[in-house]
Each structure stands twice: as C-alpha cells, then as structure tokens.
Amino acid sequence: MTTTQPTTPTTRRPNRPPIAPPSLAQASATVVWRNLIHIKRMPEMLLDVTVQSVMFVLLFAFVFGGSIAVAGSNYREFLLPGIMVQTMVFSSAIVAMGLTNDLQKGIVDRLKSLPISRASVLVGRSISSLIHSSIGVTVMAVTGLLIGWRIRTGVLEAALGFFLLLLFGFAMIWLGIWVGSLMRTVEAVQGFMFTVMFPLTFVANTFAPTENMPSWLRFIAEWNPVSALTQACRQLWGNGPAAPPDAAWPLQNPVVVTIAWSLLFTAVFAPLALAAFRRRSRD
C-alpha cells in the first residue's frame, strides 16, 4: 500500500512593480518642503526678512530720508524699490550660508543616500531661498504702505516689477549656491559674501541718485546690474523720476537690461554651482 505525501501549497510572491525614483521636480519639491518645515520649527530664521526688513525701511526713511533730496519724487517712494532690490541681492548670502551649514552637518550626505538627483538638492534650496526672500519683500511692501509708499501704475506694471525682483533674485541665489559649494565654513562664506554684496548694493542708485556722484563712481554705479533692476522697479511702479538724459544706457533701458543680466547670471552660475556641488559631494 503506497502512501502519498500531502503536498504543501506553494506561496507565490506578489509581482510588485519596480519603484521608480522620483523625478527632478518631485525631489526638488520635497527638498523645498523640508526647508520650509525647518523654518517653521525655527521661526527665528525669519528675523532677517521680517524684523530686519522693517528696521531697514524705517531707518532709511526717517533717519536718512531728510538728508537725501530726490528731484520730483518723495524719498520714501524712491527708497522702497532700492531696499527691496537689496533684499533680493542679499538672498545669495543667505542661501550660501545655509548650504554650507548643511554640508558641514552632513545633511546633504543623507540626501545623497536617497535615489534622487543631486541637482534636486540645489533646485529645492534655490526655490526655498526665493520664498524666504519673498517674505522679506512682502514685509517691506506692507511697511512701505504704512509710511506712504504707493504703486502709482497699473496692475501689469506692478506685477512685472515684482517678477523682475524674483527673476534677478533667482539668478543671485545660484551665485550664492556656487560660493556655498566652494567654501568650507559658514564664517568664510559670510565674510566673503558680505564683502562683495555691500559694495554691489551701495555703489548703485538703490539709496541715492547717481547724478551727484563723482564721474568715475557714477559710471560704475550706472552700469551696476543692481542699478538697472532698481530703476526698472521705480519706472514700473511710478516711484521716482525717469533716468536723466545723460545716464548710462542700462538706466535708459532698465527692464530689458535686467532680464538680460538675470538670464546671463543664471546661465553662468547655475552650471558652475552644479559642478562645484558635485565635486564637494565626492570629497
């Protein structure tokens, strides 16, 4: 008599589809969300674009405003576009210090272990820094409205002015990412960026007209990309006199020049930043 052994049922593993790595847009959005949550948990990170922004507006408007005359314009209206431009330019220093800090603490190493593109780390950082700086511009705009600043043109002109601020700020952020990827400490980044950014924003028409400057300094100031952006915002918002007839060509065509500078800076510094970040990541 033969006995048959009971057959054990074979368990079949379910066919699971392969997990595809996230796209560049998805990974960048995750990095942006991570940085915004970081700000939520450390709200003191917004002091530079909230309390400091209000302080700058009030300081220049009421302390220096009585000493600086602007022909055909109220100094407060003349001031607001310039100080907003300064905020966007200094966004490059903020992103540089933030990236260097992440590299020092090993946060970027953790992101590198994930199946995401390394470029998404920088794209996410650039977008979150742009949001951070936009908060400062918004705070300045509200403060300006309270002290008498007004936009005296139409909606389209007003929107174009804010768009130019964001476009130029995005280009400057890539400069900051490049510097942050090259330097090893936050202190070194801070010293370098503020040494470069202060002359860039003050040797311009941001806080005072260029007509009264010495001829050699006026030439530098009027060809400064910061001056073109400031003049473009004043022109689009109706905040100040038109450029004088003897002004340099960038001040005569500030909108076109600002767009050109922004695209040029992005085209130059974005590849440099990506290359420097990849080299730093291999160290």
Side-chain angles (χ1 to χ4, degrees), residues 86 89-90 92-93 172 175 192-202:
Q86 186 192 50
V89 172
F90 271 93
S92 60
M172 296 303 296
L175 167 62
F192 175 81
M193 293 301 291
F194 280 93
T195 301
V196 173
M197 294 302 145
F198 266 106
L200 187 66
T201 54
F202 278 88

Side-chain angles (χ1 to χ4, degrees), residues 37-197:
I37 291 177
H38 191 54
I39 293 175
K40 179 182 177 181
R41 292 176 179 174
M42 298 180 63
E44 61 271 18
M45 294 177 63
L46 292 176
L47 289 176
D48 59 332
V49 293
T50 53
V51 177
Q52 185 173 310
S53 298
V54 174
M55 181 186 67
F56 263 99
V57 172
L58 298 179
L59 183 67
F60 276 89
F62 292 102
V63 176
F64 299 111
S67 303
I68 303 175
V70 180
S73 176
N74 183 312
Y75 182 73
R76 295 175 190 175
E77 293 196 355
F78 180 87
L79 167 69
L80 259 295
I83 208 164
M84 289 181 186
V85 170
Q86 186 192 50
T87 298
M88 299 308 295
V89 172
F90 271 93
S91 62
S92 60
I94 296 171
V95 70
M97 290 186 286
L99 179 60
T100 303
N101 188 52
D102 284 353
L103 287 166
Q104 280 185 307
K105 292 183 176 180
I107 295 174
V108 173
D109 292 331
R110 296 179 216 169
L111 295 174
K112 282 162 44 183
S113 65
L114 301 175
I116 61 174
S117 170
R118 293 187 180 182
S120 64
V121 178
L122 302 186
V123 174
R125 169 68 69 174
S126 65
I127 295 174
S128 59
S129 296
L130 194 63
I131 295 172
H132 181 265
S133 299
S134 299
I135 295 173
V137 170
T138 303
V139 171
M140 285 183 173
V142 173
T143 306
L145 290 172
L146 293 176
I147 65 172
W149 172 70
R150 296 291 184 271
I151 295 178
R152 305 192 179 279
T153 53
V155 176
L156 293 179
E157 291 88 349
L160 180 57
F162 285 108
F163 171 76
L164 292 180
L165 279 174
L166 296 178
L167 182 66
F168 193 82
F170 186 73
M172 296 303 296
I173 283 170
W174 282 107
L175 167 62
I177 292 175
W178 178 50
V179 174
S181 300
L182 289 176
M183 297 194 170
R184 299 289 173 174
T185 65
V186 175
E187 293 78 12
V189 171
Q190 184 176 5
F192 175 81
M193 293 301 291
F194 280 93
T195 301
V196 173
M197 294 302 145

